[in-house]
């Protein structure tokens, strides 16, 4: 993996034959202290390469989009990480749409915890498997029955295995516009869409969990959204089937191209990750680049409090010219 990282770094410095695209430099500092510098968005072999080095190890990611016309498209990625003190992680992901089916697949094999490379990995909105070694795979399939209804089926394997399924129902929210002066009083009043409401019901079953699930998402026309999901079931092997996950997102609330997300997750039924997680994520253009601030924390399974802050800056180098 170290050899792969150095090869990618040399490619970026010398300019790969036949590559075109923007290159970014990434700087990042995290408390508890760690630091990383890297590059991203190298156009190589019809895909994109990102690589970085930190005081904890090195990492390389290759991403590529695949067109599967006339069915749809697929985005794939492969990441390798090697720690200076030994251990590695290899992960891959694929997302896309094939006709009425949306697919999200990810997997990993690791001999060191995720927190080896990212000290805040245990406090993310989506649960992170915190085991020291092993493998895991997640699959989520969404089938669009019609414009208003989506069937969902998924599974988590490798750690605390479980399967889940259900249905999501979507409706547009509208309001009636006042009749303008001079309009025909017999004509029907016009309406406009003010947002979207989606609600879902389902169930989850697996290792130490058996529960009914329900959730709702409200999204405005401006892109602001509120999501709330809950599950409830009997205790199994001392683990509660209770779960609540909520997030609020505000695009451009801090200026153009900015974003703000606040989230919390309470999932005591999970034994391979932290049961209580919360965070604030901010992205905002600053100067020629983009500043990112993450504040995360929560409680471990031993009821120990944890907290961390990550600050990153993405600096674009602009378009690179093709080599003859």
């Amino acid at each position: 993996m170290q050899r792969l990282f150095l090869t990618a770094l040399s490619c970026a410095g010398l300019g790969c034959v036949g590559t075109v695209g923007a290159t970014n430099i990434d700087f990042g500092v995290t408390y508890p202290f760690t630091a990383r510098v890297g590059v991203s968005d190298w156009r190589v072999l019809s895909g994109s390469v990102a690589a970085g080095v930190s005081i904890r190890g090195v990492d390389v990611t290759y991403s590529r989009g695949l067109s599967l016309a006339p069915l749809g498209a697929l985005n794939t990625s492969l990441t390798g990480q090697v720690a200076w003190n030994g251990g590695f992680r290899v992960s891959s992901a694929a997302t896309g749409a094939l006709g009425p089916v949306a697919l999200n697949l990810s997997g990993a094999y690791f001999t060191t915890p995720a927190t080896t490379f990212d000290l805040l990995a245990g406090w993310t909105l989506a649960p992170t498997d915190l085991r020291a070694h092993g493998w895991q795979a997640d699959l989520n399939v969404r089938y669009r029955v019609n414009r208003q209804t989506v069937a969902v089926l998924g599974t988590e394997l490798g750690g605390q295995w479980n399967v889940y399924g259900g249905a999501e129902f979507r409706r547009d929210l509208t309001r009636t516009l006042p009749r303008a002066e001079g309009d025909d009083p017999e004509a029907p009043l016009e309406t406009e869409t003010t947002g979207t409401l989606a609600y879902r019901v389902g169930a989850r079953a697996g290792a130490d969990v058996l529960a009914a699930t329900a959730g709702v998402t409200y999204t405005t026309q401006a892109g602001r959204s509120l999501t709330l999901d809950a599950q409830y079931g009997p205790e199994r092997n001392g683990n509660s089937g209770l779960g609540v996950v909520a997030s609020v997102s505000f695009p451009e609330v801090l200026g153009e191209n900015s974003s703000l997300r606040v989230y919390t997750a309470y999932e005591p039924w999970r034994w391979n990750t932290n049961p209580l997680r919360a965070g604030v994520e901010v992205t905002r253009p600053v100067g020629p680049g983009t500043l990112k601030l993450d504040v995360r924390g929560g409680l471990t399974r031993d009821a120990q409090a944890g907290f961390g802050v990550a600050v990153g800056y993405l600096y674009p180098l602009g378009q690179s010219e093709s080599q003859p």
Side-chain angles (χ1 to χ4, degrees):
M1 186 61 65
Q2 286 97 329
R3 182 176 299 176
L4 176 60
F5 173 76
L6 293 175
T7 300
L9 191 59
S10 298
C11 179
L14 298 176
C16 294
V17 175
T19 64
V20 179
T23 301
N24 305 311
I25 299 180
D26 307 313
F27 304 93
V29 178
T30 302
Y31 172 82
F33 180 71
T34 186
R36 179 186 179 276
V37 61
V39 289
S40 60
D41 203 17
W42 302 336
R43 307 304 299 175
V44 179
L45 300 176
S46 302
S48 175
V49 172
V53 58
S54 74
I55 64 175
R56 293 179 169 267
V58 295
D59 61 87
V60 177
T61 298
Y62 176 74
S63 304
R64 182 175 179 180
L66 302 174
S67 176
L68 304 176
L71 294 178
L74 196 65
N75 295 315
T76 62
S77 66
L78 176 65
T79 299
Q81 299 170 289
V82 176
W84 298 126
N85 61 357
F88 66 89
R89 298 180 65 88
V90 178
S91 59
S92 62
T95 61
L98 301 175
V101 178
L103 175 71
N104 192 321
L105 173 65
S106 64
Y109 178 80
F110 48 92
T111 63
T112 189
T115 50
T116 298
F117 303 97
D118 181 1
L119 296 176
L120 307 188
W123 315 116
T124 54
L125 174 60
T128 300
D129 192 329
L130 298 179
R131 292 176 297 157
H133 56 82
W135 67 274
Q136 60 88 210
D138 297 333
L139 172 64
N140 179 278
V141 179
R142 297 170 58 87
Y143 176 74
R144 188 175 66 252
V145 179
N146 53 50
R147 187 175 180 274
Q148 290 79 29
T149 308
V150 176
V152 180
L153 181 65
T155 183
E156 301 175 11
L157 301 173
Q160 187 179 7
W161 75 268
N162 64 85
V163 295
Y164 58 89
E168 181 176 283
F169 308 93
R170 177 181 182 273
R171 57 171 295 197
D172 293 330
L173 303 178
T174 61
R175 72 180 183 94
T176 301
L177 297 176
R179 196 182 304 277
E181 184 178 353
D183 283 352
D184 183 357
E186 301 298 326
L189 293 173
E190 295 184 356
T191 62
E192 68 175 3
T193 301
T194 59
T196 302
L197 181 67
Y199 53 97
R200 45 199 167 269
V201 294
R204 185 187 300 268
D208 298 336
V209 61
L210 176 62
T213 62
V216 62
T217 297
Y218 169 66
T219 305
T220 70
Q221 284 296 92
R224 300 184 178 186
S225 67
L226 167 65
T227 297
L228 175 65
D229 284 280
Q231 74 172 46
Y232 182 76
E235 291 192 4
R236 297 168 63 86
N237 296 331
N239 294 323
S240 171
L242 175 66
V244 179
V245 179
S247 66
V248 184
S249 299
F250 303 94
E252 311 217 339
V253 68
L254 300 176
E256 186 177 1
N257 296 323
S258 69
S259 66
L260 169 65
R261 183 172 75 165
V262 182
Y263 66 84
T264 184
Y266 177 64
E267 299 178 300
W269 62 274
R270 294 188 181 273
W271 50 255
N272 61 336
T273 191
N274 293 326
L276 178 61
R277 311 179 300 275
V280 178
E281 301 173 343
V282 179
T283 300
R284 187 177 189 276
V286 175
T290 302
L291 179 69
K292 191 172 190 300
L293 171 66
D294 294 339
V295 181
R296 300 174 182 165
L299 293 177
T300 67
R301 294 205 61 82
D302 298 326
Q304 299 295 314
F307 173 81
V309 179
V311 179
Y313 188 73
L314 180 71
Y315 182 83
L317 297 181
Q319 297 290 325
S320 61
E321 298 294 332
S322 297
Q323 299 277 335

